[in-house]
Amino acid sequence: MALCLKQVFAKDKTFRPRKRFEPGTQRFELYKKAQASLKSGLDLRSVVRLPPGESIDDWIAVHVVDFFNRINLIYGTMAERCNETSCPVMAGGPRYEYRWQDEHQYRRPAKLSAPRYMALLMDWIEGLINDEDVFPTRVGVPFPKNFQQVCTKILTRLFRVFVHVYIHHFDSILSMGAEAHVNTCYKHFYYFIREFSLVDQRELEPLREMTERICH
């Protein structure tokens, strides 16, 4: 029997503590506005649009953090089924393989298991989100000039989590009764990245057929 969604996601199975917005800040107010729009039943295409008079960098920052939290939670609920044995390669089916590269341990693209890739990914994103030079939280401190390029890289890698989960762990999504929830998260993510052209179209190819079906 499928589990109730509240039971599944109330477990808060994440790799890292959830990043939260400080009450009283502009970003917290934007986050509340975005969440209110989501809960209002508005079309997701409308929800992702930049509110009049708001900063695009703030709007992107709020969504990057929120998507990190949500996707971290989605993967965390099925992480026990994604292990070194079941997923020895971070892949999206037989045609797509994702290798990890960073500025420290893996300076050249490295072939890793899916759980290892995911752990490094969440560590890397958490480090960026908590870096005041990249995601400034103090009033009057500007975003870096390359902020949107950094967010593009974050969102591109987060998209790969969707690819792996949908292609390799869809049975887990179904068994938890989580298909509608995950699909809604995916559609929200997809409409956002397309609204602001934040992920290259070629990166979206592994889920093209599914996207055409559920994001009409």
Side-chain angles (χ1 to χ4, degrees), residues 148-205:
Q148 290 190 26
Q149 289 94 318
V150 171
C151 289
T152 285
K153 194 167 185 179
I154 292 173
L155 293 168
T156 297
R157 287 180 168 181
L158 282 175
F159 181 80
R160 295 171 182 176
V161 180
F162 277 120
V163 173
H164 184 75
V165 166
Y166 270 117
I167 293 177
H168 294 272
H169 299 289
F170 191 68
D171 56 338
S172 297
I173 296 173
L174 292 177
S175 69
M176 291 187 293
E179 183 181 6
H181 176 86
V182 175
N183 283 350
T184 298
C185 289
Y186 176 75
K187 288 193 285 186
H188 185 201
F189 181 92
Y190 176 78
Y191 290 136
F192 184 81
I193 62 175
R194 297 308 297 153
E195 175 73 15
F196 300 102
S197 301
L198 290 167
V199 175
D200 191 285
Q201 186 68 40
R202 291 171 296 181
E203 287 282 343
L204 308 180
E205 189 62 23

Short mmCIF file of all heavy atoms in Angstrom, two decimals, residues 148-205:
data_model
loop_
_atom_site.label_atom_id
_atom_site.label_comp_id
_atom_site.label_asym_id
_atom_site.label_seq_id
_atom_site.Cartn_x
_atom_site.Cartn_y
_atom_site.Cartn_z
N GLN A 148 24.42 34.62 -11.77
CA GLN A 148 23.49 33.81 -12.57
C GLN A 148 24.20 32.62 -13.22
O GLN A 148 23.62 31.55 -13.39
CB GLN A 148 22.76 34.65 -13.60
CG GLN A 148 21.76 35.61 -12.96
CD GLN A 148 20.85 36.29 -13.96
OE1 GLN A 148 20.58 35.79 -15.05
NE2 GLN A 148 20.37 37.48 -13.60
N GLN A 149 25.49 32.79 -13.56
CA GLN A 149 26.25 31.66 -14.11
C GLN A 149 26.43 30.57 -13.05
O GLN A 149 26.34 29.37 -13.36
CB GLN A 149 27.63 32.12 -14.61
CG GLN A 149 27.57 32.95 -15.88
CD GLN A 149 27.55 34.44 -15.59
OE1 GLN A 149 26.86 34.89 -14.67
NE2 GLN A 149 28.30 35.20 -16.37
N VAL A 150 26.67 31.00 -11.80
CA VAL A 150 26.79 30.03 -10.70
C VAL A 150 25.47 29.29 -10.52
O VAL A 150 25.44 28.06 -10.36
CB VAL A 150 27.20 30.74 -9.39
CG1 VAL A 150 27.10 29.78 -8.20
CG2 VAL A 150 28.60 31.30 -9.50
N CYS A 151 24.37 30.04 -10.56
CA CYS A 151 23.05 29.41 -10.39
C CYS A 151 22.73 28.46 -11.54
O CYS A 151 22.09 27.42 -11.32
CB CYS A 151 21.97 30.49 -10.25
SG CYS A 151 22.07 31.38 -8.67
N THR A 152 23.17 28.81 -12.73
CA THR A 152 22.98 27.91 -13.87
C THR A 152 23.67 26.57 -13.61
O THR A 152 23.11 25.50 -13.88
CB THR A 152 23.53 28.55 -15.16
OG1 THR A 152 22.61 29.55 -15.61
CG2 THR A 152 23.71 27.52 -16.27
N LYS A 153 24.87 26.62 -13.08
CA LYS A 153 25.61 25.39 -12.78
C LYS A 153 24.91 24.59 -11.69
O LYS A 153 24.80 23.35 -11.78
CB LYS A 153 27.04 25.72 -12.36
CG LYS A 153 27.98 24.52 -12.37
CD LYS A 153 29.43 24.97 -12.25
CE LYS A 153 30.37 23.78 -12.38
NZ LYS A 153 31.79 24.20 -12.30
N ILE A 154 24.43 25.27 -10.65
CA ILE A 154 23.71 24.60 -9.58
C ILE A 154 22.45 23.92 -10.11
O ILE A 154 22.20 22.73 -9.86
CB ILE A 154 23.34 25.59 -8.45
CG1 ILE A 154 24.59 26.08 -7.72
CG2 ILE A 154 22.36 24.95 -7.46
CD1 ILE A 154 24.31 27.20 -6.72
N LEU A 155 21.66 24.67 -10.88
CA LEU A 155 20.39 24.14 -11.36
C LEU A 155 20.59 23.03 -12.39
O LEU A 155 19.81 22.08 -12.44
CB LEU A 155 19.56 25.29 -11.95
CG LEU A 155 19.08 26.32 -10.93
CD1 LEU A 155 18.53 27.56 -11.62
CD2 LEU A 155 18.03 25.72 -9.99
N THR A 156 21.64 23.14 -13.19
CA THR A 156 21.95 22.08 -14.15
C THR A 156 22.25 20.78 -13.43
O THR A 156 21.75 19.71 -13.81
CB THR A 156 23.15 22.48 -15.03
OG1 THR A 156 22.81 23.64 -15.80
CG2 THR A 156 23.55 21.35 -15.97
N ARG A 157 23.02 20.87 -12.37
CA ARG A 157 23.35 19.66 -11.62
C ARG A 157 22.15 19.14 -10.84
O ARG A 157 21.97 17.93 -10.70
CB ARG A 157 24.54 19.93 -10.70
CG ARG A 157 25.86 20.06 -11.46
CD ARG A 157 27.04 20.33 -10.56
NE ARG A 157 28.30 20.16 -11.29
CZ ARG A 157 29.51 20.32 -10.76
NH1 ARG A 157 29.63 20.64 -9.47
NH2 ARG A 157 30.59 20.14 -11.49
N LEU A 158 21.29 20.02 -10.34
CA LEU A 158 20.08 19.57 -9.66
C LEU A 158 19.14 18.88 -10.63
O LEU A 158 18.44 17.93 -10.27
CB LEU A 158 19.38 20.75 -8.98
CG LEU A 158 19.97 21.24 -7.66
CD1 LEU A 158 19.25 22.48 -7.17
CD2 LEU A 158 19.94 20.15 -6.60
N PHE A 159 19.12 19.34 -11.88
CA PHE A 159 18.28 18.68 -12.88
C PHE A 159 18.70 17.22 -13.05
O PHE A 159 17.86 16.34 -13.26
CB PHE A 159 18.37 19.42 -14.22
CG PHE A 159 17.50 18.81 -15.28
CD1 PHE A 159 16.13 19.09 -15.34
CD2 PHE A 159 18.02 17.94 -16.23
CE1 PHE A 159 15.32 18.51 -16.31
CE2 PHE A 159 17.22 17.36 -17.21
CZ PHE A 159 15.87 17.65 -17.24
N ARG A 160 19.98 16.96 -12.93
CA ARG A 160 20.48 15.59 -13.08
C ARG A 160 19.95 14.69 -11.98
O ARG A 160 19.84 13.47 -12.17
CB ARG A 160 22.01 15.61 -13.10
CG ARG A 160 22.57 16.34 -14.31
CD ARG A 160 24.07 16.54 -14.21
NE ARG A 160 24.56 17.30 -15.37
CZ ARG A 160 25.80 17.69 -15.53
NH1 ARG A 160 26.71 17.39 -14.60
NH2 ARG A 160 26.17 18.38 -16.60
N VAL A 161 19.62 15.25 -10.82
CA VAL A 161 19.01 14.45 -9.76
C VAL A 161 17.63 13.98 -10.23
O VAL A 161 17.28 12.80 -10.06
CB VAL A 161 18.89 15.25 -8.45
CG1 VAL A 161 18.25 14.39 -7.36
CG2 VAL A 161 20.25 15.76 -8.00
N PHE A 162 16.86 14.89 -10.82
CA PHE A 162 15.57 14.49 -11.38
C PHE A 162 15.74 13.39 -12.43
O PHE A 162 14.99 12.42 -12.45
CB PHE A 162 14.87 15.69 -12.03
CG PHE A 162 14.11 16.57 -11.09
CD1 PHE A 162 14.45 17.91 -10.95
CD2 PHE A 162 13.04 16.08 -10.34
CE1 PHE A 162 13.74 18.74 -10.10
CE2 PHE A 162 12.32 16.90 -9.49
CZ PHE A 162 12.67 18.24 -9.37
N VAL A 163 16.73 13.55 -13.30
CA VAL A 163 16.97 12.55 -14.34
C VAL A 163 17.20 11.18 -13.71
O VAL A 163 16.57 10.17 -14.09
CB VAL A 163 18.18 12.95 -15.22
CG1 VAL A 163 18.53 11.81 -16.18
CG2 VAL A 163 17.89 14.22 -16.00
N HIS A 164 18.10 11.12 -12.73
CA HIS A 164 18.42 9.84 -12.11
C HIS A 164 17.22 9.26 -11.36
O HIS A 164 16.93 8.06 -11.48
CB HIS A 164 19.60 10.01 -11.15
CG HIS A 164 20.05 8.71 -10.55
ND1 HIS A 164 20.77 7.77 -11.25
CD2 HIS A 164 19.85 8.19 -9.30
CE1 HIS A 164 21.00 6.72 -10.47
NE2 HIS A 164 20.46 6.95 -9.29
N VAL A 165 16.52 10.10 -10.63
CA VAL A 165 15.38 9.62 -9.84
C VAL A 165 14.27 9.10 -10.75
O VAL A 165 13.74 8.00 -10.52
CB VAL A 165 14.86 10.75 -8.93
CG1 VAL A 165 13.48 10.41 -8.37
CG2 VAL A 165 15.84 11.00 -7.79
N TYR A 166 13.93 9.85 -11.78
CA TYR A 166 12.84 9.43 -12.67
C TYR A 166 13.20 8.16 -13.44
O TYR A 166 12.37 7.27 -13.60
CB TYR A 166 12.50 10.54 -13.66
CG TYR A 166 11.44 11.51 -13.18
CD1 TYR A 166 11.73 12.86 -12.98
CD2 TYR A 166 10.14 11.08 -12.94
CE1 TYR A 166 10.76 13.75 -12.55
CE2 TYR A 166 9.16 11.98 -12.51
CZ TYR A 166 9.47 13.30 -12.32
OH TYR A 166 8.50 14.19 -11.89
N ILE A 167 14.42 8.07 -13.94
CA ILE A 167 14.79 6.94 -14.79
C ILE A 167 15.14 5.70 -14.00
O ILE A 167 14.79 4.58 -14.38
CB ILE A 167 15.93 7.35 -15.74
CG1 ILE A 167 15.43 8.41 -16.73
CG2 ILE A 167 16.49 6.13 -16.49
CD1 ILE A 167 16.49 8.95 -17.68
N HIS A 168 15.81 5.86 -12.85
CA HIS A 168 16.29 4.70 -12.11
C HIS A 168 15.48 4.36 -10.86
O HIS A 168 15.61 3.24 -10.34
CB HIS A 168 17.76 4.91 -11.72
CG HIS A 168 18.67 4.96 -12.90
ND1 HIS A 168 19.24 3.83 -13.45
CD2 HIS A 168 19.08 6.00 -13.66
CE1 HIS A 168 19.98 4.18 -14.50
NE2 HIS A 168 19.91 5.48 -14.64
N HIS A 169 14.67 5.29 -10.39
CA HIS A 169 13.96 5.04 -9.13
C HIS A 169 12.48 5.38 -9.21
O HIS A 169 11.85 5.68 -8.19
CB HIS A 169 14.62 5.83 -7.99
CG HIS A 169 16.04 5.46 -7.77
ND1 HIS A 169 16.43 4.25 -7.22
CD2 HIS A 169 17.20 6.12 -8.06
CE1 HIS A 169 17.75 4.18 -7.17
NE2 HIS A 169 18.24 5.31 -7.68
N PHE A 170 11.93 5.31 -10.41
CA PHE A 170 10.51 5.65 -10.56
C PHE A 170 9.63 4.67 -9.79
O PHE A 170 8.57 5.04 -9.27
CB PHE A 170 10.11 5.67 -12.03
CG PHE A 170 8.76 6.27 -12.27
CD1 PHE A 170 8.53 7.62 -12.06
CD2 PHE A 170 7.69 5.48 -12.70
CE1 PHE A 170 7.28 8.18 -12.27
CE2 PHE A 170 6.44 6.03 -12.91
CZ PHE A 170 6.23 7.38 -12.70
N ASP A 171 10.08 3.42 -9.69
CA ASP A 171 9.30 2.44 -8.93
C ASP A 171 9.20 2.84 -7.47
O ASP A 171 8.16 2.63 -6.81
CB ASP A 171 9.91 1.04 -9.06
CG ASP A 171 11.37 0.98 -8.63
OD1 ASP A 171 12.04 2.04 -8.62
OD2 ASP A 171 11.85 -0.12 -8.30
N SER A 172 10.27 3.46 -6.93
CA SER A 172 10.23 3.93 -5.55
C SER A 172 9.26 5.09 -5.40
O SER A 172 8.53 5.18 -4.39
CB SER A 172 11.63 4.37 -5.10
OG SER A 172 12.53 3.28 -5.12
N ILE A 173 9.24 5.97 -6.38
CA ILE A 173 8.29 7.09 -6.35
C ILE A 173 6.87 6.55 -6.30
O ILE A 173 6.04 7.00 -5.50
CB ILE A 173 8.48 7.99 -7.60
CG1 ILE A 173 9.86 8.65 -7.59
CG2 ILE A 173 7.38 9.05 -7.66
CD1 ILE A 173 10.17 9.41 -8.87
N LEU A 174 6.58 5.57 -7.14
CA LEU A 174 5.24 4.99 -7.19
C LEU A 174 4.90 4.27 -5.88
O LEU A 174 3.79 4.42 -5.36
CB LEU A 174 5.14 4.02 -8.36
CG LEU A 174 5.19 4.64 -9.76
CD1 LEU A 174 5.16 3.53 -10.82
CD2 LEU A 174 4.04 5.61 -9.98
N SER A 175 5.85 3.50 -5.35
CA SER A 175 5.57 2.72 -4.14
C SER A 175 5.29 3.62 -2.94
O SER A 175 4.58 3.23 -2.01
CB SER A 175 6.72 1.77 -3.84
OG SER A 175 7.88 2.48 -3.44
N MET A 176 5.85 4.83 -2.94
CA MET A 176 5.62 5.77 -1.85
C MET A 176 4.37 6.61 -2.07
O MET A 176 4.01 7.44 -1.23
CB MET A 176 6.83 6.69 -1.67
CG MET A 176 8.05 6.00 -1.14
SD MET A 176 9.38 7.17 -0.77
CE MET A 176 9.79 7.76 -2.40
N GLY A 177 3.75 6.44 -3.23
CA GLY A 177 2.60 7.28 -3.54
C GLY A 177 2.98 8.72 -3.76
O GLY A 177 2.20 9.65 -3.52
N ALA A 178 4.22 8.93 -4.21
CA ALA A 178 4.77 10.29 -4.30
C ALA A 178 4.81 10.84 -5.72
O ALA A 178 5.36 11.91 -5.94
CB ALA A 178 6.18 10.30 -3.72
N GLU A 179 4.22 10.13 -6.68
CA GLU A 179 4.34 10.56 -8.08
C GLU A 179 3.81 11.98 -8.30
O GLU A 179 4.46 12.81 -8.94
CB GLU A 179 3.61 9.59 -9.00
CG GLU A 179 3.75 9.94 -10.48
CD GLU A 179 3.01 8.98 -11.39
OE1 GLU A 179 2.29 8.10 -10.89
OE2 GLU A 179 3.13 9.12 -12.62
N ALA A 180 2.63 12.28 -7.77
CA ALA A 180 2.03 13.61 -7.98
C ALA A 180 2.90 14.70 -7.36
O ALA A 180 3.11 15.77 -7.95
CB ALA A 180 0.63 13.65 -7.39
N HIS A 181 3.43 14.42 -6.18
CA HIS A 181 4.27 15.41 -5.49
C HIS A 181 5.56 15.67 -6.27
O HIS A 181 5.94 16.82 -6.50
CB HIS A 181 4.61 14.91 -4.09
CG HIS A 181 5.55 15.79 -3.34
ND1 HIS A 181 5.12 16.88 -2.60
CD2 HIS A 181 6.90 15.78 -3.23
CE1 HIS A 181 6.17 17.49 -2.07
NE2 HIS A 181 7.26 16.84 -2.43
N VAL A 182 6.22 14.59 -6.69
CA VAL A 182 7.49 14.74 -7.41
C VAL A 182 7.24 15.41 -8.76
O VAL A 182 8.01 16.27 -9.19
CB VAL A 182 8.18 13.37 -7.59
CG1 VAL A 182 9.44 13.51 -8.44
CG2 VAL A 182 8.54 12.79 -6.22
N ASN A 183 6.15 15.04 -9.43
CA ASN A 183 5.82 15.67 -10.71
C ASN A 183 5.58 17.17 -10.56
O ASN A 183 6.02 17.97 -11.40
CB ASN A 183 4.57 15.03 -11.33
CG ASN A 183 4.85 13.68 -11.96
OD1 ASN A 183 6.01 13.28 -12.11
ND2 ASN A 183 3.80 12.97 -12.34
N THR A 184 4.90 17.56 -9.48
CA THR A 184 4.66 18.99 -9.24
C THR A 184 5.97 19.73 -8.99
O THR A 184 6.19 20.82 -9.52
CB THR A 184 3.70 19.18 -8.05
OG1 THR A 184 2.45 18.58 -8.36
CG2 THR A 184 3.49 20.67 -7.76
N CYS A 185 6.85 19.12 -8.20
CA CYS A 185 8.16 19.73 -7.95
C CYS A 185 8.94 19.87 -9.26
O CYS A 185 9.58 20.89 -9.51
CB CYS A 185 8.97 18.89 -6.96
SG CYS A 185 8.35 18.94 -5.26
N TYR A 186 8.87 18.82 -10.07
CA TYR A 186 9.59 18.86 -11.35
C TYR A 186 9.03 19.95 -12.26
O TYR A 186 9.79 20.72 -12.86
CB TYR A 186 9.51 17.51 -12.07
CG TYR A 186 10.16 17.57 -13.44
CD1 TYR A 186 11.55 17.59 -13.56
CD2 TYR A 186 9.40 17.66 -14.59
CE1 TYR A 186 12.15 17.70 -14.81
CE2 TYR A 186 9.99 17.77 -15.85
CZ TYR A 186 11.36 17.78 -15.94
OH TYR A 186 11.97 17.89 -17.18
N LYS A 187 7.71 20.02 -12.36
CA LYS A 187 7.11 21.04 -13.24
C LYS A 187 7.46 22.45 -12.76
O LYS A 187 7.77 23.32 -13.58
CB LYS A 187 5.59 20.86 -13.29
CG LYS A 187 5.17 19.64 -14.09
CD LYS A 187 3.69 19.64 -14.41
CE LYS A 187 2.86 19.29 -13.22
NZ LYS A 187 1.42 19.16 -13.59
N HIS A 188 7.43 22.68 -11.46
CA HIS A 188 7.80 23.98 -10.90
C HIS A 188 9.24 24.32 -11.29
O HIS A 188 9.54 25.42 -11.76
CB HIS A 188 7.64 23.93 -9.38
CG HIS A 188 7.87 25.23 -8.70
ND1 HIS A 188 8.18 25.33 -7.37
CD2 HIS A 188 7.85 26.51 -9.16
CE1 HIS A 188 8.33 26.59 -7.04
NE2 HIS A 188 8.15 27.34 -8.10
N PHE A 189 10.13 23.36 -11.09
CA PHE A 189 11.54 23.53 -11.43
C PHE A 189 11.70 23.80 -12.93
O PHE A 189 12.40 24.73 -13.34
CB PHE A 189 12.30 22.26 -11.04
CG PHE A 189 13.78 22.29 -11.32
CD1 PHE A 189 14.68 22.73 -10.35
CD2 PHE A 189 14.29 21.87 -12.54
CE1 PHE A 189 16.05 22.75 -10.59
CE2 PHE A 189 15.66 21.89 -12.80
CZ PHE A 189 16.53 22.33 -11.82
N TYR A 190 11.04 23.00 -13.75
CA TYR A 190 11.17 23.11 -15.21
C TYR A 190 10.68 24.47 -15.70
O TYR A 190 11.36 25.14 -16.48
CB TYR A 190 10.39 22.00 -15.90
CG TYR A 190 10.41 22.11 -17.41
CD1 TYR A 190 11.52 21.71 -18.14
CD2 TYR A 190 9.32 22.65 -18.10
CE1 TYR A 190 11.55 21.84 -19.53
CE2 TYR A 190 9.34 22.79 -19.48
CZ TYR A 190 10.45 22.38 -20.18
OH TYR A 190 10.48 22.53 -21.55
N TYR A 191 9.51 24.90 -15.24
CA TYR A 191 8.98 26.19 -15.69
C TYR A 191 9.89 27.34 -15.25
O TYR A 191 10.05 28.32 -15.98
CB TYR A 191 7.56 26.42 -15.14
CG TYR A 191 6.51 25.53 -15.77
CD1 TYR A 191 5.54 24.90 -15.00
CD2 TYR A 191 6.48 25.31 -17.16
CE1 TYR A 191 4.58 24.08 -15.58
CE2 TYR A 191 5.52 24.50 -17.74
CZ TYR A 191 4.57 23.89 -16.94
OH TYR A 191 3.62 23.08 -17.51
N PHE A 192 10.48 27.20 -14.07
CA PHE A 192 11.37 28.26 -13.59
C PHE A 192 12.63 28.36 -14.45
O PHE A 192 13.00 29.46 -14.89
CB PHE A 192 11.76 28.02 -12.13
CG PHE A 192 12.60 29.13 -11.55
CD1 PHE A 192 12.01 30.28 -11.10
CD2 PHE A 192 13.98 29.01 -11.48
CE1 PHE A 192 12.77 31.33 -10.58
CE2 PHE A 192 14.76 30.04 -10.97
CZ PHE A 192 14.15 31.21 -10.52
N ILE A 193 13.28 27.24 -14.70
CA ILE A 193 14.53 27.31 -15.48
C ILE A 193 14.28 27.74 -16.91
O ILE A 193 15.12 28.40 -17.53
CB ILE A 193 15.31 25.98 -15.44
CG1 ILE A 193 14.51 24.84 -16.06
CG2 ILE A 193 15.76 25.66 -14.02
CD1 ILE A 193 15.27 23.53 -16.17
N ARG A 194 13.10 27.41 -17.45
CA ARG A 194 12.78 27.84 -18.81
C ARG A 194 12.41 29.32 -18.84
O ARG A 194 12.74 30.03 -19.80
CB ARG A 194 11.63 27.00 -19.39
CG ARG A 194 11.94 25.52 -19.53
CD ARG A 194 13.24 25.25 -20.28
NE ARG A 194 13.18 25.72 -21.65
CZ ARG A 194 14.23 26.10 -22.36
NH1 ARG A 194 15.44 26.09 -21.81
NH2 ARG A 194 14.09 26.48 -23.61
N GLU A 195 11.74 29.80 -17.82
CA GLU A 195 11.34 31.21 -17.76
C GLU A 195 12.56 32.13 -17.83
O GLU A 195 12.52 33.18 -18.48
CB GLU A 195 10.56 31.47 -16.46
CG GLU A 195 10.19 32.92 -16.20
CD GLU A 195 9.08 33.45 -17.09
OE1 GLU A 195 8.39 32.64 -17.73
OE2 GLU A 195 8.91 34.69 -17.14
N PHE A 196 13.66 31.71 -17.18
CA PHE A 196 14.84 32.56 -17.12
C PHE A 196 16.03 31.98 -17.89
O PHE A 196 17.16 32.47 -17.75
CB PHE A 196 15.23 32.81 -15.66
CG PHE A 196 14.14 33.49 -14.88
CD1 PHE A 196 13.33 32.78 -14.01
CD2 PHE A 196 13.89 34.85 -15.05
CE1 PHE A 196 12.31 33.40 -13.31
CE2 PHE A 196 12.87 35.49 -14.36
CZ PHE A 196 12.08 34.77 -13.49
N SER A 197 15.77 30.96 -18.72
CA SER A 197 16.81 30.35 -19.57
C SER A 197 18.06 30.00 -18.76
O SER A 197 19.18 30.38 -19.12
CB SER A 197 17.17 31.29 -20.73
OG SER A 197 16.04 31.58 -21.51
N LEU A 198 17.85 29.26 -17.68
CA LEU A 198 18.94 28.99 -16.75
C LEU A 198 19.64 27.65 -16.96
O LEU A 198 20.68 27.40 -16.37
CB LEU A 198 18.42 29.08 -15.31
CG LEU A 198 18.06 30.49 -14.83
CD1 LEU A 198 17.28 30.44 -13.54
CD2 LEU A 198 19.32 31.34 -14.68
N VAL A 199 19.05 26.78 -17.77
CA VAL A 199 19.68 25.49 -18.07
C VAL A 199 19.65 25.26 -19.56
O VAL A 199 18.61 25.47 -20.20
CB VAL A 199 18.96 24.33 -17.33
CG1 VAL A 199 19.55 22.97 -17.74
CG2 VAL A 199 19.06 24.51 -15.82
N ASP A 200 20.77 24.86 -20.12
CA ASP A 200 20.88 24.62 -21.56
C ASP A 200 19.89 23.53 -22.00
O ASP A 200 19.71 22.53 -21.32
CB ASP A 200 22.31 24.18 -21.89
CG ASP A 200 22.57 24.17 -23.39
OD1 ASP A 200 22.08 23.24 -24.06
OD2 ASP A 200 23.25 25.08 -23.88
N GLN A 201 19.27 23.76 -23.14
CA GLN A 201 18.27 22.83 -23.65
C GLN A 201 18.82 21.41 -23.80
O GLN A 201 18.10 20.43 -23.59
CB GLN A 201 17.75 23.33 -25.01
CG GLN A 201 16.60 22.53 -25.58
CD GLN A 201 15.32 22.68 -24.77
OE1 GLN A 201 14.99 23.78 -24.30
NE2 GLN A 201 14.59 21.58 -24.59
N ARG A 202 20.09 21.29 -24.13
CA ARG A 202 20.68 19.96 -24.31
C ARG A 202 20.68 19.16 -23.02
O ARG A 202 20.59 17.93 -23.04
CB ARG A 202 22.11 20.09 -24.85
CG ARG A 202 22.20 20.60 -26.28
CD ARG A 202 23.63 20.90 -26.65
NE ARG A 202 24.19 21.98 -25.86
CZ ARG A 202 25.42 22.47 -26.00
NH1 ARG A 202 26.23 21.93 -26.89
NH2 ARG A 202 25.85 23.46 -25.23
N GLU A 203 20.81 19.86 -21.88
CA GLU A 203 20.80 19.17 -20.59
C GLU A 203 19.43 18.57 -20.28
O GLU A 203 19.32 17.62 -19.50
CB GLU A 203 21.19 20.14 -19.46
CG GLU A 203 22.65 20.50 -19.43
CD GLU A 203 23.51 19.39 -18.81
OE1 GLU A 203 22.95 18.49 -18.15
OE2 GLU A 203 24.73 19.44 -19.01
N LEU A 204 18.38 19.11 -20.90
CA LEU A 204 17.02 18.67 -20.61
C LEU A 204 16.60 17.45 -21.44
O LEU A 204 15.55 16.87 -21.19
CB LEU A 204 16.04 19.82 -20.88
CG LEU A 204 16.34 21.16 -20.20
CD1 LEU A 204 15.29 22.18 -20.57
CD2 LEU A 204 16.44 21.00 -18.69
N GLU A 205 17.43 17.07 -22.38
CA GLU A 205 17.09 16.02 -23.33
C GLU A 205 16.72 14.68 -22.67
O GLU A 205 15.80 14.00 -23.14
CB GLU A 205 18.24 15.83 -24.32
CG GLU A 205 17.93 14.90 -25.48
CD GLU A 205 16.80 15.40 -26.36
OE1 GLU A 205 16.53 16.62 -26.39
OE2 GLU A 205 16.18 14.56 -27.04
#
